[in-house]
Amino acid sequence: MSGCMSAFSGGPDIELSKGLKQLKEEHPPLLAQLEELFQLTQRIEQEQDIDPNFELLIAKVQQFKADLDPHSEREEGVLFPMLGVYIGTTSGPIAVMEYEHDQAKANIKAFLEGATNGETSEEKKELGQLVQNAYFILTEHFAKEENVLFPMAQRMLTDEEKEELYQKIQEIK
């Protein structure tokens, strides 16, 4: 996977346009939330105050989802289609990015749906695995975007398209 995308990468020092820079700057707060979620799942696995940590995990996952959804929409609804004009969307980097979005969202959704019942400690640990799955998918996913997709978009999109990207992502709250 990285081999086919590496030819498009631009290195970490490429200057990103306003819109791409905004998308990149949305990653650190999301990663900080993911790290907190992962730590909570670790405590649950180690049977440290399972019930209060699980209740906190539910609340934190709900907040994370609320913060992640507009970011995902900015990428899926604006960036991916714009870049897809140049590189296609049915295979290659865009298809992979969308698949990873879908996988992470599916894990989060399954966790939130499963977390509504009176679970046993074992069930809580298993549900925590779904959050960990999302953590691993998204931490790698964000790195791919920052190191490959965003530099690729910076080089391929015209100045007008970069401005359009910025304007359109401002509309998504």
Side-chain angles (χ1 to χ4, degrees):
M1 166 59 223
S2 63
C4 69
M5 291 176 70
S6 64
F8 297 109
S9 67
D13 55 354
I14 191 167
E15 181 74 24
L16 297 177
S17 66
K18 295 186 289 191
L20 293 168
K21 186 175 180 188
Q22 177 183 329
L23 292 172
K24 182 177 179 179
E25 288 173 349
E26 291 174 2
H27 287 171
L30 292 169
L31 286 166
Q33 286 179 282
L34 278 168
E35 193 59 44
E36 188 176 10
L37 297 177
F38 187 77
Q39 295 304 320
L40 283 169
T41 63
Q42 293 292 97
R43 288 188 212 131
I44 292 165
E45 274 185 7
Q46 296 161 5
E47 301 188 5
Q48 298 173 8
D49 300 320
I50 291 177
D51 292 336
N53 278 320
F54 192 76
E55 290 305 311
L56 185 57
L57 182 62
I58 293 169
K60 296 282 185 180
V61 168
Q62 289 169 333
Q63 181 59 56
F64 176 73
K65 182 183 181 310
D67 294 342
L68 179 66
D69 285 348
H71 174 76
S72 295
E73 179 55 33
R74 288 181 195 106
E75 292 178 347
E76 294 170 11
V78 184
L79 176 62
F80 294 175
M82 290 179 84
L83 193 52
V85 169
Y86 295 95
I87 62 171
T89 57
T90 57
S91 65
I94 301 297
V96 171
M97 295 291 114
E98 288 181 335
Y99 175 77
E100 290 171 354
H101 277 199
D102 292 346
Q103 291 300 110
K105 288 179 191 176
N107 277 282
I108 291 167
K109 181 180 181 192
F111 169 79
L112 290 172
E113 287 175 353
T116 58
N117 312 333
E119 301 86 8
T120 66
S121 293
E122 276 311 304
E123 289 168 331
K124 289 177 183 175
K125 289 178 189 179
E126 288 174 21
L127 287 166
Q129 288 293 316
L130 295 168
V131 176
Q132 288 186 11
N133 291 346
Y135 167 86
F136 291 121
I137 291 165
L138 289 172
T139 52
E140 185 177 311
H141 174 82
F142 289 164
K144 286 180 196 172
E145 287 180 339
E146 292 175 18
N147 294 313
V148 178
L149 198 72
F150 295 164
M152 182 191 311
Q154 180 63 34
R155 277 191 317 286
M156 290 184 167
L157 298 177
T158 65
D159 289 343
E160 294 78 19
E161 288 169 324
K162 291 172 191 168
E163 184 58 34
E164 180 185 349
L165 170 72
Y166 179 73
Q167 295 302 325
K168 285 185 174 179
I169 66 174
Q170 299 314 302
E171 297 169 10
I172 301 170
K173 301 293 178 204

